[in-house]
Amino acid sequence: MKRRTAIGVLGGVAGAPVLMPLDEVGRMLAWREQVLASAGLAGGDGAASTNGPADGGGVQAPSLLTPERSRVMEALAEVIIPETDTPGASEAGVTGFVAALVDGWLADDDRDRFLAGLDTVDPACRERFGSPFAECAPGEQAAFVGDLDEELTRLREDPAADETQSFFHNVKRFTLTAYFTSEAGLDALGYRTTFRTFEGCAPLTPREAGR
């Protein structure tokens, strides 16, 4: 049975990331490593996980997040967290981490519902814009994601609805959690997660200095 423990933290970092205590950051980073390990992957940002987990002989098995689904997920994530003065979702390896969730962590029902939702995106965009989502113009992508977000808001405001059944609910929380537990995401928030060199009395960056 696939494990669901710690899924409750998804998206939690995005609420108030700078105020999170270091032990909470450490807990989430440890959970990230567990997710990657559950899919048979080494640590890091999960960029290689789109190839799928390794089988018993060390050969990479196909991922349930197929190349077609990966392109959709990566494009959706990049609309949610685009590259600005900080890295975007693609550079943070969001899609690779989502592949690890799909292949080694999510409960079967959650996984199947999420993948079924991803599979609706390209057909809907071809019908609406004439191209698969990843090949749509930025404005078309933004409009499509905006409609998904409006529908999610409607579900949240409906006492009889369950927003967690929306695949886009999971797209957003998977994207946010993958990003803010990646080195690129934590660096964007000002967390120093690695020490590649001894910096001595190096001057503070503008972010560290509060400017």
Side-chain angles (χ1 to χ4, degrees), residues 25-36:
V25 174
R27 185 179 74 84
M28 293 194 69
L29 292 176
W31 172 73
R32 178 189 180 90
E33 293 303 312
Q34 292 173 18
V35 171
L36 294 175

Side-chain angles (χ1 to χ4, degrees), residues 30 59 71 75 83 108 127 154 163:
V59 177
R71 282 192 290 272
E83 179 180 3
D108 292 347
E127 181 176 350
R154 186 192 66 77
E163 68 176 280

